[in-house]
Every structure is written in C-alpha cells, then in structure tokens.
Amino acid sequence: MDPSRIESAFPAPSYRGNQEDALGRIRAAFEDGNDVVLVRAPTGSGKSLLARAIAGCARQGSQASATDAIGAYYTTPQVSQLDDVASDPLLSDLSIIRGKSNYKCILSGETDTPVTQAPCAREREFDCQVKHRCPYFSDRSIAANQSIAAMTLAYFMQTAGSDVFGKRDVVVIDEAHGLGEWAEMYAAIDLAPDTVPVWDERPPPEIDGVETAAEYAAGLSRVCDRRLTDLRAQVELEPEEAAERDRLEELRSDLQWFQEAVRDPDSPTTWVVDQPDGEGSRTTIKPLNPERFLSHTVWDRGNKFALLSATILNKDAFCASAGLDPDRVALVDLEHTFPVENRPLVDVTQGKMTYEERETTIPKIAETLVSLMARHPGESGLVHCHSYAIQDALADELRAWGVGERVRTHDSEDRDGQLAAWKRSDEPTVFLSVKMEEALDLEGDLCRWQLLCKAPYPNTRDSRVARRLENGDWAWYYRSALRTVIQACGRIVRSPEDHGVTYLADSSLLDLFDRARVDMPAWFEAQVDRMARPTLSTPEPDPALAGLSDKRSRRSSGRSDASGSRRSSSRSSRRSRSGSNPVADVWDTE
C-alpha cells in the first residue's frame, strides 16, 4: 500500500466539508504503520469517495512480485449502499459483483431462471456455450481482474477461500459499525423445517446445551451427506433440487465449522443455543464472539484495512467485538460539518415503550403525531416504529383519530416498494417504518421531520444479548442502542444546507443519552445538549390533514371509536405467526 497516493486517488474534482483534512489524517494513520484504520465520519462526509481514495492506494500489479497481493476490495453490509455506488459516476471504476441469485440465465427458455438454478447448476457436465456472456460470470470475471472489486459484505464473506477472489492488498469496509454483531448474525445456524431440507429425517431432540447441539449437528451432517450423494448421482436436477443441493452444502459447511469450533479447546468462540419450544422445534445455534469467523472471512483477505462509519463509538469495544488488536488500529475521528441548528433533537416524550408499558404509551404517541402533522402540514414525515407490532398499533390509533389518509405503512414483503412509492409521492404523507434507521437517504423535501417511537435496545430475549448482560456488559447494551439512534438521526439531514427535525417519543431515550454519554461523538452530544421540549397544539384531524391535496377525501373531525378501525389481514396473520418468536423486536419478525 502507498498512502501517499490517497489525494490523487480521490475521485471528485474538488473537496467538500472536511474531506481534504480527512484524507490527510487517514494517510498519516497508515504511514504510522497501522494495519487497520477506523474512520468515524458523520453523515455527509462523503464516505464512499473517501473509500475510493483509500482503495486507490493499493499496491498495483506493476509494483508487485508474483506472490504479492494487489488491488482492493470495497464492501458494505448494505445492499442499498452498493446500489448507490453503482449509480455514482464518480465511482464508475469500481467493478461490482453481486450474488448469483441476483442474475438471470440468458439461455433460450431460461431467461426467468436465476443463475443459481440455471442448466449449468442443474446438469452434470453441462457445457454452456454462452458462459462468456453470462451476466454473472461476466461481472465476476471483470471484478476479479479489476483493481477495485465492489460487493456486499455477505458475498465477500461467502467467497473466503475462493480462487477467484483471493487476498488483496487493501480492504475497505463501509458502514462497518456493526461488523462484530453482523458477523454473529451471519454465522448463526438456523435449524427449522424451512431451512433444513432433511428436517423430517432428523428433527432435533431437546437440546439442553452446546454439547447436545454438537451431537445433533454431527448426526444431521451425516443425513445431509446421504442426501447430497443422492442428488449428485443424478444426471440432471430440477430447479428445486438444485436449490436443495446448494442449501445442503451450505448447511453442512456451517455444521462442520460449529463442530470444529466446539471441539477446539483454543477456539475463542462461545456458543449459545435457542430452542424455545423444545424437542422437534426450531433451534438456533449462535456464536457470541465470532473472532475466528471474522479472521477467516475478513482479516485474512487483505494486508491493510479501512473501516468507515458514523457510529464506531468506542475504539477498544469495537476492536474486542471484531477480534482486532487495538495496538494495530488507529481511529480517525472527523468533525460534523452540518450546522447543529439544522439537525435538532426535540423532546416530545410521552412515557416508556417497554413491552409492559407500551399499551398505555402508544395512544399518547398517536396524539403527539396528530399534533406534529399539524405542525408540519406540507412536509413528509418518517416514524421509526422499531417493530411491526408497534407499527400496527400506531396505525390503528391514527386511523381512529381520522388521519389515516395521511399515513402509509409497509410489511416485510412490500417494504422496498412502499418506501419507493412514498418517496415518489407529492403528498406530505407520514411513513410508519420498521428497521429503516440505516442506509436510507432522505435528502431535502423527501422528509423534513421524523419521530423515534422506541429506544432501540437489543432484545433481552435474544440469548446472545442475555449472555452479555449476564456477564455485566451493560456498556455494550447502551452503546448498541445509541448507535442505532445516531444512525436514525442521519436519515433526514444529508448536506450542510439540508435541515430536518428528529422528535423523541420514548422517555427511555432520555435515559439512554445519560447512560451512553461517555460514548457519544462530540457533534451528537451538541445535539443532545440543545434539546428542548416544545408546546404542541391540541390534536385535531383537520389541521393534521391540511397539507393534503383537495382531491383527497376528508374524514369527520374528532377521534372515532378505535374498535371501528380496520387492520389488514396480512398484518394480522403476520403478527400471529411471529408472536412467539423470542427475537421478534430484534430481527423484524414481529
């Protein structure tokens, strides 16, 4: 790596904000001999442009011996972030590769078939005459041979050990704040009828610990091997059989890794097992500290690393979660360049949103929302609901208030479509969202105000969370919630000239700010210190609907009987299916 090239590798014709200073400080951190540089860069810093400049410092082929790693990887956990890279003309020299399932076969009669189920994946020794034009293999070949290959973090991890995507000189990870937790989730092994093709042959017994889980994993692996042998003996597979084969191979690999880690007395990984419904039911095996997993899938993939995010809040804690030696890691902390008065926090708290108290608090939040709609009659708003259960209850309350026509919701199936439709709409509607605190760009008039319904603490019913708290790691607990809040605040103010108001509805958010203040970036602490409580108007439907076009119907004033509000059958069935899920509030299942 040659850090001296960082300025010349910056892709924009000029700098904005603190980008020039950032490049100089990143360069100095690498020149000081650090293997890993964490870049804490607030919203609007142009992290993708900084990432491109860092990647441009990678060793080039003309400078390398036959055994030297060359080139760079750019990777991010967020699919939307990769989409942004693909559409940015300043980043056109990043060669993007996506997972096979994102590509369609080009053979006649197969153009609706994903490449994962195309004839080349179904038929033994199939000789594809157009493989050189296959969109997947073409993109893969280009990315493998260009100096900067861009991909999602999931694809990056999946290609560990690949002959195509081997070790490179520099690895840049954007939106890297949750790397440790994300790796835990990615490395979890979910065993259920819908994830294990041979479930009926080997349902799990009652699992009372990690040793029992390892014994079951060994037996399940043998069943997977037998089924794989049968599938591989066939000359041609149906698309469903090809998908089954791929799932069995992935499952067997996961089970093998788990068994090896359990048997290894020197393994740093601690495992926990969830089986809430006992024998024969869904079982999830989770790594609590996946340092070994990250070592193989990330840290062995490059010589130098740059990790960028607005919310790497504590260097030592981040290094511990990701298996890094803090002495080999530097933190470059950038200032926020957006005026603090353009990104205010406003206290409209109405009580706690814990599971026990939310039934009382949600109607008060709905009243507050009606008043906020009147305060922002011509401006679109975003409500971070945290879970679908909260979204459903809040939507019912708003319909009962007679303001349902200004409200838009989504479910897990139509999430992206509803979001796109809301952003395209000329009406100042209010979008009740679930898990949209990250990777969402609502610049300018797309959204001028938002409300946080609930302090986004990790769910204590998740075994990983429970184990950490049993070990006394409350700092991690508060830091995780603070990180999500800061990410959410960045959704609606995207440039120095932009402005947007973030309202806080859950009184637990105020407690969070007190408990996590030691880990707050100075620029967010300034927002917290300026926080005030406004006087809101009395909630009335007509002022709340005043910004809608005249073509839209109006309901009568006053709050109707909540029992008359309608709930979609899809939401009701979704909630009934997931109501017993112990991690519902964490992974979007409620």
Side-chain angles (χ1 to χ4, degrees), residues 13-314:
S14 61
Y15 299 118
R16 74 180 191 200
N18 56 11
Q19 288 174 336
E20 185 173 16
D21 175 62
L23 293 177
R25 295 173 63 190
I26 295 167
R27 171 181 175 173
F30 279 117
E31 288 178 339
D32 284 344
N34 294 288
D35 294 327
V36 181
V37 176
L38 311 180
V39 183
R40 185 159 69 184
T43 300
S45 302
K47 290 191 291 294
S48 297
L49 300 182
L50 298 178
R52 168 60 184 85
I54 297 167
C57 298
R59 181 191 288 120
Q60 301 171 348
S62 60
Q63 304 168 317
S65 68
T67 58
D68 287 335
I70 61 172
Y73 288 115
Y74 169 88
T75 182
T76 171
Q78 305 289 353
V79 174
S80 60
Q81 190 80 10
L82 198 64
D83 293 339
D84 291 342
V85 168
S87 63
D88 191 336
L90 294 175
L91 303 174
S92 59
D93 61 341
L94 272 66
S95 298
I96 295 176
I97 176 65
R98 303 176 190 271
K100 272 188 179 183
S101 61
N102 293 281
Y103 297 86
K104 300 291 187 182
C105 180
I106 59 174
L107 290 173
S108 177
E110 301 282 353
T111 53
D112 290 330
T113 305
V115 173
T116 50
Q117 298 175 22
C120 61
R122 303 195 314 258
E123 300 178 26
R124 193 194 312 162
E125 299 181 4
F126 179 81
D127 183 17
C128 182
Q129 299 299 309
V130 294
K131 185 175 180 178
H132 62 289
R133 292 196 290 112
C134 172
Y136 170 71
F137 288 103
S138 176
D139 277 4
R140 191 183 73 164
S141 177
I142 293 170
N145 289 285
Q146 294 298 309
S147 58
I148 307 175
M151 60 194 69
T152 64
L153 189 59
Y155 187 86
F156 180 67
M157 289 179 167
Q158 289 167 0
T159 56
S162 162
D163 292 335
V164 178
F165 293 109
K167 186 175 183 178
R168 294 202 173 192
D169 189 37
V170 173
V171 177
V172 182
I173 304 177
D174 206 349
E175 300 297 338
H177 47 272
L179 184 61
E181 289 92 338
W182 197 91
E184 287 181 3
M185 182 178 70
Y186 182 80
I189 305 171
D190 188 29
L191 305 175
D194 57 335
T195 63
V196 178
V198 292
W199 177 268
D200 291 340
E201 295 181 52
R202 190 83 179 197
E206 183 173 351
I207 294 179
D208 57 6
V210 174
E211 288 299 328
T212 308
E215 293 173 4
Y216 173 62
L220 183 59
S221 293
R222 289 192 291 271
V223 176
C224 291
D225 284 339
R226 288 198 296 270
R227 177 58 179 156
L228 277 169
T229 299
D230 292 341
L231 290 171
R232 289 168 177 163
Q234 299 181 41
V235 175
E236 182 176 353
L237 300 175
E238 296 296 324
E240 297 78 10
E241 291 175 318
E244 179 186 358
R245 177 203 58 204
D246 294 344
R247 175 61 191 138
L248 286 168
E249 289 176 343
E250 180 184 5
L251 176 60
R252 188 182 59 171
S253 175
D254 291 343
L255 293 171
Q256 182 178 359
W257 178 63
F258 165 60
Q259 294 172 73
E260 290 175 353
V262 170
R263 289 195 297 264
D264 182 1
D266 298 322
S267 172
T269 305
T270 299
W271 295 88
V272 293
V273 181
D274 281 338
Q275 192 189 44
D277 298 322
E279 181 180 355
S281 66
R282 179 183 294 270
T283 303
T284 308
I285 305 168
K286 309 172 185 178
L288 190 61
N289 45 345
E291 287 94 335
R292 180 168 174 243
F293 177 80
L294 282 173
S295 177
H296 170 60
T297 59
V298 176
W299 308 129
D300 290 347
R301 308 286 298 281
N303 294 324
K304 299 289 184 178
F305 295 83
L307 280 60
L308 294 83
S309 172
T311 49
I312 297 175
L313 300 181
N314 181 297

